[in-house]
Each structure stands twice: as C-alpha cells, then as structure tokens.
Amino acid sequence: IDPEIKHIGEKRIGNDVARGGANFTVWNLRSMNYMEVLAKSRQDNLTEIAGQTLFFMKEKKHARDGAALPKLSIKSFNGPFRRYLVVIGIFSLGNFADAFIILRAEDLGVAKAHITIIYLIYNLVYALSAAPLGILADRVGMKKMIFAGFLYYSLIFIGFAFAATGMQMWALFPLFGIFRGMSDGTQRAYLASISPPERKATAFGVYHMVVGITLLPASIIAGILWDTFGPAETFLYGAVLSFIAAAVFLAGRGKKG
C-alpha cells in the first residue's frame, strides 16, 4: 500500500472513531442539541487540519543560506496541480456541511434520539473503510478511484434527494461513509503525487485553503436552496457539482504540464 494513503488512512481511523464516539457520549450524557454537536464536529475538522500540519508533517532540515522565503503562489506548480485545484474547488462548492444530511434524516422521520447513532455509524464506516479502500486505490490507480468517488458522491446525493423514508436514510448514511473512506485519503495522496517534492507543504496548504474557502459558500448556497426549493433540490445541487468535478477531472487526465 502507498505510504501516503496508509499514513492518512491510519490517522483518519483514529480521528473519526474518536470524534464519533465523543459526539455519542456528549449526546447521551449532556443531552446537547445535535446541531451543536455537528457544529463542534466542524470545529474539530479545522483543528484536525491544523494539528496534522503541526504534528504529523515531517520535514528534513536544510541548511539555510539567507535566501528570501518563497512567495505563496501557485504559478510555480505544474498544470496538473492547478487543474486539480479547480476540480477540488468545484466539488467542494457542492460538498456542504453534514448538518444538512442530519436535517434530511430528521425531515424523513428519524427520531432525534437516533440522530447521533446514525451519525456515529457513518463515522465508523468512514474510518474502517479508509485503509482497505486505500489499498484498492493503490491497485486500480488513484485517478480512477478519485473519478469513481465523484460519481459515487453524485449517486449518494441523488439518493438523499429522493429518499422517502427514515429507513432509507439508515441505509444511505453508511453508504456515504464509504464515500468518505474512498475519497479523503486518496485525494490527499494524489495531491502529494503531483506536487513538487520541495513544495509539498505549500501544496497541502493551498489545497486546504481552497477547501476551507469554499466550505462557507457551499453551505450558504445549500441553505438558500433548502429554504427556497426544498431538500431534494439541495442535494441535487451537490450531485450536479460532483458530476461536473468528475467531468473536469476526466478531461484533464491526459494533459501534461
């Protein structure tokens, strides 16, 4: 298995099992509103990114000759990296907060007492599937796995859009967890593979910047669609953007430079 995918997958298992278990404990012991739990989960995501940057990134020491620090710019990156950022940006605009999925579950009759249980199942599937799906990505290729992940996301969100019962949501949540397991680690590993060795830290910083910048507008757009048209249109919006991301990613696969 590729060390990049294995390393990210192992961290994901610990991070997501811990977060899901913490949310479950908070719900049962303190009766916290589940939307507050999800808000805290989003804060944990930002903390996790910062923590990985500070504690998990290993860098060889280099002798410094007093040269000026490089400017923060993507011009020095190759074409595949820049095109990949565009793909991630498009996808992230449709990858709105998990709170909307929780609201969809409640909308279809999933009891509030079961909300954190179903979310815990999602996190467990996500964490436990990361390593085996990383191995699969090594075998079939990261590009194929990323492309398949975008299409799979579209299908899952179409399922969320047209789900009619709470039982269907119980089935969709773990299926969505599989998407997280197949995409998050592979997307980052692919980013590492197309980044210049001496600019990997910058590459990951730019990647997370793009994801972070698009998170807020993605959720705002989703909220407007939900209030104006309804939940089905909200999830179809996410499905369409993921499909567009897949098409742009496929179109750029054969290009070089």
Side-chain angles (χ1 to χ4, degrees), residues 95-118:
N95 186 25
F96 40 79
D98 291 346
F100 289 93
I101 304 172
I102 298 296
L103 288 174
R104 184 61 169 150
E106 186 183 33
D107 183 56
L108 291 176
V110 177
K112 287 186 177 182
H114 296 156
I115 290 294
T116 304
I117 297 175
I118 196 173

Side-chain angles (χ1 to χ4, degrees), residues 12-141:
R12 278 289 170 184
I13 292 175
N15 288 334
D16 291 297
V17 169
R19 187 185 303 120
N23 288 346
F24 182 78
T25 301
V26 167
W27 175 272
N28 284 280
L29 297 183
R30 298 180 58 190
S31 299
M32 181 181 288
N33 180 279
Y34 71 87
M35 292 300 292
E36 295 176 1
V37 174
L38 286 174
K40 180 62 169 63
S41 180
R42 276 297 175 184
Q43 294 172 7
D44 289 344
N45 285 336
L46 297 178
T47 303
E48 176 189 338
I49 292 172
Q52 288 181 11
T53 302
L54 291 173
F55 299 110
F56 288 101
M57 292 188 67
K58 297 179 180 179
E59 183 178 1
K60 296 180 179 179
K61 295 182 178 180
H62 299 279
R64 300 191 181 278
D65 54 5
L69 293 175
K71 296 181 179 179
L72 179 59
S73 172
I74 65 171
K75 291 182 179 180
S76 60
F77 289 97
N78 56 22
F81 177 84
R82 294 195 295 268
R83 285 192 292 269
Y84 187 57
L85 284 184
V86 172
V87 170
I88 292 300
I90 294 172
F91 170 72
S92 296
L93 279 173
N95 186 25
F96 40 79
D98 291 346
F100 289 93
I101 304 172
I102 298 296
L103 288 174
R104 184 61 169 150
E106 186 183 33
D107 183 56
L108 291 176
V110 177
K112 287 186 177 182
H114 296 156
I115 290 294
T116 304
I117 297 175
I118 196 173
Y119 192 67
L120 175 61
I121 293 172
Y122 153 76
N123 274 284
L124 285 173
V125 173
Y126 172 15
L128 295 175
S129 64
L133 289 174
I135 295 173
L136 180 61
D138 277 338
R139 293 178 178 175
V140 304

Side-chain angles (χ1 to χ4, degrees), residues 165-186:
T165 67
M167 290 302 297
Q168 291 173 343
M169 294 300 293
W170 281 92
L172 286 168
F173 263 74
L175 291 176
F176 188 47
I178 292 175
F179 161 76
R180 294 297 188 195
M182 75 186 295
S183 65
D184 279 13
T186 305

